[in-house]
Amino acid sequence: MASGKARSKQRSSGSSYTSTATTIVFVALCVLGVWMLTSNSVIPPQTTSRTTTTSDESTSAATADFSSANKNSQPIELTDKKISEAFEDNPGQLPDEAIKSDDTTQLKETNGNENPTQLKETNDNERSQMEHEIHVAESNNQESEKDSRDESKNDEESVPRKPGSGVEENPQGLQGKVSVEEQEKQKEHENQVSEESSLSQNQQEERRMNNQESNQKQQIQEEMQMNDQRKKQEEAQKQEHHQQKGQHGLEEGTSHDQIEHDEAVPLLSSNKNDNHRSQAKPSPRRTKTGSSETQNSNDQHESHSKIDNKKEEKPTQLNPDGSLLGGESSGIPKESKESKKSWSTQADQSENQKERRKNGPDDQDGSIYGYTWQLCNVTAGTDYIPCLDNEKALKKLRTTRHFEHRERHCPEEAPTCLVPPPDGYKRPIEWPTSRDKIWYHNVPHTKLAEVKGHQNWVKVSGEFLTFPGGGTQFIHGALHYIDFIEEAVPDIAWGKRTRVILDVGCGVASFGGFLFERDVLAMSLAPKDEHEAQVQFALERGIPAISAVMGSQRLPFPSRVFDIVHCARCRVPWHEEGGRLLLELNRVLRPGGFFVWSATPVYQTLEEDVEIWKEMSALTKSMCWELVTIKKDKLNSVGAAIYHKPTSNECYDQRKQNATPMCKSDDDPNAAWYVALQSCMHRVPEGEVERGSRWPQNWPQRLQTPPYWLNKSQMGIYGKPAPDDFARDSEHWGRMVSKTYLSGLGISWDNVRNVMDMRAVYGGFAAALKDLKVWVMNVVNIDSPDTLPIIYERGLFGIYHDWCESFSTYPRSYDLLHADHLFSKLKKRCKIEPVMAEIDRIVRPGGKLIVRDESSTIGEVENLLKSLHWEVHLTFSKNQEGILSAQKSEWRPDSYAARP
């Protein structure tokens, strides 16, 4: 009304013109003030203060709730020491801190924020929900205030922003952006400014509060919808993951925890008592030291506040950078399908390969925990080797002239029975003490002690069998004999130029046992014959050895791989049948290598010895072997003839009489699996990039050096150029063994001596164990790429084998078996049960098994091991890849199987 009167006076009197102008300016300022109040939700200082307080209180409440819920179960970070103490050879009940929580919440980072704020959600708690909504609304108001201040400073933006617009931060660390509808509503809101100028100040304030409350509710509702969608997506992913896990055939209550990164020591989970897991207490994942790792540990403490104690475990979620075991991201190579075109296999090479059974995968339902095992009912008893003690097959042999009865004759159906230990069996004595004595009851055979005792082979000393270190040709000890050979030919250079040798007719393998002091590996070989248990003695002592014979078939080794072949009174008739057996040694001997023959024809003048010497001299000359020296050992009253294999074909081409013919060009010298012996010689490789054309580097440089004949034009097993593949494999196994195998698998390596890698590729696993007092038998499967020459080239050794058959070794031979992705490939060709029975046969009581494979296969192996009463130390799985560690118990069944 006052303004109306002023305007009326203004029309009638010019003297009040100045007063009217002043009034108009005042009204304009009021309108501008109202517009600013309605368009900018300026938050009073006390509101900002209350927001901070609420947030702090909420965080404190969450922390308090978590501390209260876990008062008696504080998470403990596992150290190497605790893991070692918790898991010895007989671990018993595992501690709670070794059980990983089954409901770890995965932390997510906000946009560029390394430490996102997380609030604890309390189910069915209205007060907490209201605080959450108030916190969101006030956070939106703070964001609006910030946006309005930014707009006032930016001349390019002419349209004011709506309260609550921009990036919003919520307790879950999600980001919310202004939608198109909100922008349209913002424009409508700006059009209403002129109308609001005519309202009273109280009405304008009331409308502003209503609009603000409406916007806040809408934003809260939108945020809740986004959270619901996110939760549904996570639940769907978890459901899909559990469905994949459910196909693994694992028994209820046994789940595979997810695998840590290769460089982190994995947590251990006991399978000895499956029900124990349902009471697992939370335990943080062990991480490296550092600020980010500390924050991860704190965040995991918050995430553990919502633990659901269910009988069925859920796989633990790792951070996104956690790499899976067996996947490319972890540096673990994957075998390339294309590489099969670049590599031959023994199945392809062997002309006379025994036709294999085409048994498909096991058609059982996977639940074989209650599989019934029985003892083997065989004549061989506690020393049963299925492929060497096949009485049914041996009776069908027409002749034994070429020692066919000592060769492999595997049963048509692989046995699934178990071999009992001898009465009074004890855990083997550890190396190096075992080199000198073993428990008598572990190998209760005295024939060698009776026959060879005067030659210091083996003697009975109370409850021990002792080994003075002698042999037929070195009664006064192997070390003197080893030095004697090197003195005769200094170029032998034990442990430098000479690294891998073959000892034929090894006896109790004292020669190979003492060569370890010279950094030399000896593949000791002897048949299972009337000299009972000689190879078994060697293995019990901790010395490499296999049961094999120089008979009618090639030895299971590639060509040109041994630096030296040694024979000390090995009783092999080298000179007979055109030297067929000696020509087999020529096949496996490296060009430039030596043949050391220590036998009576070298130094005795008996008529038989003289005749053998003449025939051997003619044979070796025809083979172009150079007689380097004949050395006499006065201490042992013996002598040794040392021959040198040529490094070129010049001698072969200049021979006047070809008494020993050259092999045909289509005869593959590397074919060795069930291939008959050939009475011929293969030409020496002379090309610069051909294997065998030059000597490897000295030990130990050759261990980590890619062979010179591996060129980048050849694709490696894992799809990279062969030298790069080799280096990648070495790097991976070095990291895996040092970071995980030696400290994180519940294995005590102090009593590990005899090791077998059941599916070696480049020999990286064996190379990674170089500094331990162990030796590794590397097995290359006949259907795998033929990489065994690479293993020998780097100063290691191994053998070809088909795991659908039994291995040529005595029961209780090995302390540890390692199978990397073996069973998933093997079960396509034969059943797993006989393979597990074979593993149980060759592993000593207290021995270990490490399996890396597909998760479903890990489940099958785990159930079979449990049925065999093995103690499963741990199983992990992630992304369909898993790892298992187990230990053999002393359990044996009571009943015997039907006699075959």
Side-chain angles (χ1 to χ4, degrees):
M1 294 296 294
S3 61
K5 291 179 179 180
R7 285 193 288 267
S8 182
K9 291 179 180 180
Q10 185 180 7
R11 296 188 187 99
S12 59
S13 177
S15 62
S16 62
Y17 179 81
T18 302
S19 176
T20 303
T22 302
T23 303
I24 293 174
V25 171
F26 176 77
V27 172
L29 290 174
C30 291
V31 172
L32 180 62
V34 171
W35 179 83
M36 291 181 64
L37 287 175
T38 56
S39 61
N40 294 293
S41 301
V42 179
I43 302 175
Q46 65 270 19
T47 303
T48 304
S49 176
R50 186 167 60 88
T51 301
T52 305
T53 303
T54 304
S55 177
D56 293 339
E57 289 176 356
S58 178
T59 305
S60 301
T63 305
D65 290 344
F66 175 77
S67 301
S68 175
N70 296 278
K71 186 178 298 182
N72 299 322
S73 60
Q74 292 296 329
I76 301 175
E77 180 172 345
L78 291 182
T79 62
D80 293 348
K81 182 177 179 181
K82 289 189 177 182
I83 291 177
S84 177
E85 293 175 353
F87 299 96
E88 296 299 332
D89 285 347
N90 296 305
Q93 189 66 37
L94 302 182
D96 290 341
E97 57 264 32
I99 309 297
K100 190 167 183 177
S101 173
D102 60 351
D103 194 15
T104 304
T105 304
Q106 183 176 0
L107 302 178
K108 295 186 178 180
E109 297 181 353
T110 55
N111 186 20
N113 189 359
E114 294 181 358
N115 299 316
T117 303
Q118 290 191 345
L119 298 179
K120 178 178 178 295
E121 296 178 2
T122 305
N123 296 332
D124 301 327
N125 193 328
E126 296 180 358
R127 177 181 177 182
S128 176
Q129 182 66 24
M130 290 297 297
E131 290 178 351
H132 172 71
E133 294 177 359
I134 293 173
H135 175 64
V136 172
E138 292 173 345
S139 297
N140 291 337
N141 291 337
Q142 289 179 348
E143 192 69 28
S144 300
E145 181 182 15
K146 180 180 178 180
D147 290 342
S148 63
R149 291 173 181 174
D150 292 340
E151 289 169 1
S152 63
K153 296 179 181 180
N154 190 351
D155 296 335
E156 295 179 359
E157 295 182 8
S158 58
V159 180
R161 301 177 67 180
K162 181 182 177 181
S165 63
V167 178
E168 301 174 0
E169 184 177 7
N170 56 56
Q172 304 299 329
L174 300 177
Q175 294 181 352
K177 294 184 178 181
V178 179
S179 64
V180 177
E181 295 179 356
E182 289 177 338
Q183 294 177 357
E184 294 177 354
K185 291 180 180 180
Q186 181 177 345
K187 293 180 180 180
E188 294 176 0
H189 177 74
E190 293 168 0
N191 294 333
Q192 295 174 359
V193 171
S194 58
E195 297 178 2
E196 291 179 351
S197 61
S198 61
L199 298 176
S200 66
Q201 186 172 0
N202 291 337
Q203 289 177 334
Q204 293 172 3
E205 180 67 19
E206 181 179 358
R207 182 172 180 176
R208 183 185 66 81
M209 294 297 295
N210 291 337
N211 290 339
Q212 180 177 346
E213 182 179 357
S214 176
N215 291 337
Q216 292 173 356
K217 290 182 179 180
Q218 182 178 358
Q219 291 168 2
I220 293 174
Q221 186 176 6
E222 291 175 355
E223 178 189 354
M224 294 177 64
Q225 291 177 355
M226 293 174 64
N227 290 339
D228 291 339
Q229 291 178 358
R230 181 182 63 83
K231 291 179 180 179
K232 289 180 180 179
Q233 291 177 356
E234 291 180 351
E235 288 295 328
Q237 292 177 355
K238 290 181 180 179
Q239 242 177 1
E240 182 180 358
H241 183 69
H242 282 305
Q243 289 176 358
Q244 293 176 355
K245 292 290 182 182
Q247 299 174 359
H248 297 166
L250 298 179
E251 62 180 315
E252 184 178 359
T254 302
S255 67
H256 299 288
D257 293 338
Q258 290 190 335
I259 301 168
E260 301 289 352
H261 190 275
D262 284 350
E263 297 182 357
V265 177
L267 299 176
L268 307 180
S269 58
S270 171
N271 291 313
K272 189 172 182 181
N273 185 357
D274 295 335
N275 293 331
H276 180 72
R277 291 189 175 193
S278 62
Q279 301 174 357
K281 298 179 181 180
S283 178
R285 178 172 66 88
R286 184 181 179 191
T287 59
K288 300 179 182 178
T289 57
S291 59
S292 61
E293 282 74 8
T294 304
Q295 180 63 35
N296 284 342
S297 177
N298 294 335
D299 291 340
Q300 285 188 2
H301 277 267
E302 291 183 345
S303 66
H304 279 300
S305 62
K306 193 175 66 174
I307 298 176
D308 184 15
N309 294 326
K310 297 182 179 180
K311 292 183 178 180
E312 182 180 358
E313 285 190 326
K314 298 179 181 179
T316 304
Q317 296 294 324
L318 300 178
N319 289 332
D321 61 347
S323 53
L324 64 93
L325 188 58
E328 289 293 330
S329 61
S330 65
I332 300 172
K334 282 286 190 179
E335 194 167 309
S336 171
K337 295 181 180 179
E338 291 76 12
S339 67
K340 295 182 179 180
K341 301 177 182 179
S342 303
W343 296 82
S344 60
T345 67
Q346 275 298 306
D348 298 331
Q349 293 166 328
S350 300
E351 298 174 352
N352 298 332
Q353 180 195 354
K354 182 178 179 181
E355 186 176 352
R356 299 302 312 132
R357 302 183 305 276
K358 298 299 182 181
N359 292 336
D362 185 12
D363 57 358
Q364 298 187 28
D365 60 0
S367 180
I368 48 181
Y369 182 86
Y371 190 91
T372 302
W373 300 97
Q374 294 179 313
L375 295 175
C376 296
N377 189 4
V378 292
T379 304
T382 60
D383 298 333
Y384 178 48
I385 304 176
C387 290
L388 301 182
D389 295 315
N390 186 357
E391 297 178 1
K392 184 178 180 180
L394 295 178
K395 291 178 181 179
K396 296 180 179 180
L397 293 177
R398 297 181 179 180
T399 179
T400 59
R401 179 183 176 185
H402 297 107
F403 298 92
E404 289 88 350
H405 59 300
R406 305 298 185 193
E407 294 179 332
R408 292 172 58 85
H409 301 280
C410 297
E412 294 181 1
E413 293 293 333
T416 57
C417 58
L418 307 182
V419 178
D423 294 336
Y425 181 86
K426 298 180 180 180
R427 296 287 176 92
I429 297 173
E430 296 179 7
W431 180 270
T433 306
S434 62
R435 187 184 64 181
D436 301 325
K437 66 178 182 180
I438 62 174
W439 296 111
Y440 164 76
H441 289 289
N442 287 11
V443 191
H445 301 291
T446 59
K447 186 173 183 178
L448 277 177
E450 297 169 1
V451 176
K452 300 290 185 179
H454 66 287
Q455 297 175 349
N456 289 331
W457 279 35
V458 56
K459 295 182 178 181
V460 179
S461 302
E463 61 178 347
F464 298 103
L465 290 168
T466 61
F467 302 86
T472 304
Q473 296 298 103
F474 41 94
I475 298 174
H476 296 284
L479 281 177
H480 168 78
Y481 179 73
I482 291 169
D483 292 335
F484 156 72
I485 294 175
E486 189 173 29
E487 290 172 1
V489 181
D491 286 345
I492 286 178
W494 297 121
K496 295 180 180 178
R497 183 180 188 272
T498 298
R499 166 63 181 174
V500 184
I501 76 168
L502 175 65
D503 186 17
V504 181
C506 63
V508 295
S510 290
F511 180 64
F514 281 91
L515 276 173
F516 279 108
E517 296 186 10
R518 302 291 193 269
D519 269 343
V520 176
L521 281 178
M523 176 75 76
S524 299
L525 178 149
K528 185 177 183 181
D529 58 8
E530 62 273 9
H531 281 176
E532 60 184 12
Q534 50 188 335
V535 168
Q536 192 174 18
F537 279 135
L539 291 165
E540 185 71 15
R541 296 173 67 187
I543 303 172
I546 62 169
S547 293
V549 65
M550 298 286 294
S552 65
Q553 297 179 349
R554 287 179 176 176
L555 296 173
F557 310 120
S559 67
R560 309 184 298 272
V561 291
F562 289 104
D563 303 334
I564 285 180
V565 177
H566 172 259
C567 165
R569 293 283 288 275
C570 55
R571 302 196 309 159
V572 177
W574 304 117
H575 60 287
E576 294 182 357
E577 298 186 6
R580 187 172 66 160
L581 299 181
L582 194 62
L583 291 171
E584 174 62 5
L585 293 188
N586 185 75
R587 183 184 71 88
V588 300
L589 182 62
R590 190 185 300 278
F594 296 96
F595 172 57
V596 179
W597 187 37
S598 176
T600 56
V602 177
Y603 57 90
Q604 289 188 359
T605 58
L606 297 177
E607 182 178 355
E608 182 182 4
D609 293 328
V610 172
E611 186 63 28
I612 294 175
W613 175 254
K614 288 181 180 180
E615 294 189 29
M616 278 289 290
S617 297
L619 176 61
T620 54
K621 185 177 181 180
S622 177
M623 293 171 59
C624 292
W625 282 13
E626 176 191 0
L627 179 59
V628 178
T629 187
I630 298 177
K631 183 74 172 179
K632 299 293 181 65
D633 181 10
K634 295 181 179 179
L635 178 63
N636 291 305
S637 299
V638 300
I642 302 177
Y643 298 89
H644 181 255
K645 181 179 177 179
T647 57
S648 71
N649 295 302
E650 182 179 358
C651 176
Y652 298 150
D653 297 335
Q654 294 178 354
R655 290 182 305 166
K656 295 180 180 180
Q657 295 181 353
N658 295 330
T660 303
M662 303 302 294
C663 295
K664 296 180 180 180
S665 59
D666 61 351
D667 185 84
D668 188 350
N670 293 307
W673 188 248
Y674 290 115
V675 175
L677 290 177
Q678 305 293 322
S679 297
C680 62
M681 295 185 300
H682 297 89
R683 296 181 67 84
V684 174
E686 293 182 323
E688 293 184 359
V689 295
E690 289 187 77
R691 182 174 67 84
S693 62
R694 63 173 114 149
W695 200 264
Q697 293 189 23
N698 285 347
W699 178 265
Q701 287 79 15
R702 65 194 283 187
L703 181 66
Q704 300 297 346
T705 304
Y708 64 89
W709 39 270
L710 277 184
N711 55 77
K712 292 192 174 183
S713 62
Q714 181 181 12
M715 180 183 292
I717 305 302
Y718 306 119
K720 293 182 176 293
D724 299 336
D725 243 20
F726 177 94
R728 182 185 182 189
D729 181 79
S730 296
E731 180 184 356
H732 157 64
W733 284 113
R735 181 177 66 252
M736 176 61 70
V737 168
S738 63
K739 299 295 184 181
T740 302
Y741 279 35
L742 296 184
S743 59
L745 296 183
I747 293 176
S748 173
W749 288 80
D750 294 337
N751 53 6
V752 173
R753 171 64 181 173
N754 304 351
V755 180
M756 178 186 289
D757 191 355
M758 300 177 68
R759 184 179 170 270
V761 181
Y762 295 118
F765 172 69
L769 298 175
K770 169 185 172 292
D771 295 330
L772 299 184
K773 295 180 179 180
V774 303
W775 60 268
V776 181
M777 178 68 74
N778 293 281
V779 178
V780 172
N781 293 259
I782 63 165
D783 61 338
S784 297
D786 188 4
T787 56
L788 194 52
I790 299 176
I791 293 173
Y792 276 92
E793 194 80 4
R794 64 192 306 185
L796 306 171
F797 61 18
I799 194 172
Y800 294 120
H801 185 58
D802 180 4
W803 282 111
C804 289
E805 299 180 352
S806 174
F807 193 80
S808 293
T809 191
Y810 281 86
R812 305 169 299 279
S813 294
Y814 286 87
D815 300 308
L816 185 144
L817 265 58
H818 177 251
D820 181 25
H821 286 81
L822 169 69
F823 298 103
S824 58
K825 299 178 181 296
L826 195 62
K827 67 181 182 179
K828 299 175 182 178
R829 299 173 49 240
C830 51
K831 295 181 180 179
I832 295 184
E833 293 96 321
V835 182
M836 296 306 300
E838 176 65 5
I839 289 174
D840 184 86
R841 185 185 72 85
I842 67 179
V843 174
R844 293 168 169 174
K848 293 89 175 175
L849 173 67
I850 301 174
V851 180
R852 293 159 47 90
D853 218 310
E854 299 173 359
S855 296
S856 58
T857 303
I858 289 288
E860 297 178 44
V861 172
E862 181 181 3
N863 286 332
L864 274 169
L865 290 173
K866 286 183 177 180
S867 71
L868 289 165
H869 293 252
W870 283 50
E871 297 175 2
V872 179
H873 286 177
L874 65 90
T875 54
F876 285 160
S877 70
K878 177 185 177 183
N879 296 355
Q880 302 183 1
E881 295 287 337
I883 186 170
L884 175 147
S885 171
Q887 179 176 338
K888 180 180 176 180
S889 68
E890 297 181 0
W891 173 84
R892 294 288 90 174
D894 297 328
S895 60
Y896 281 84
R899 193 170 183 83

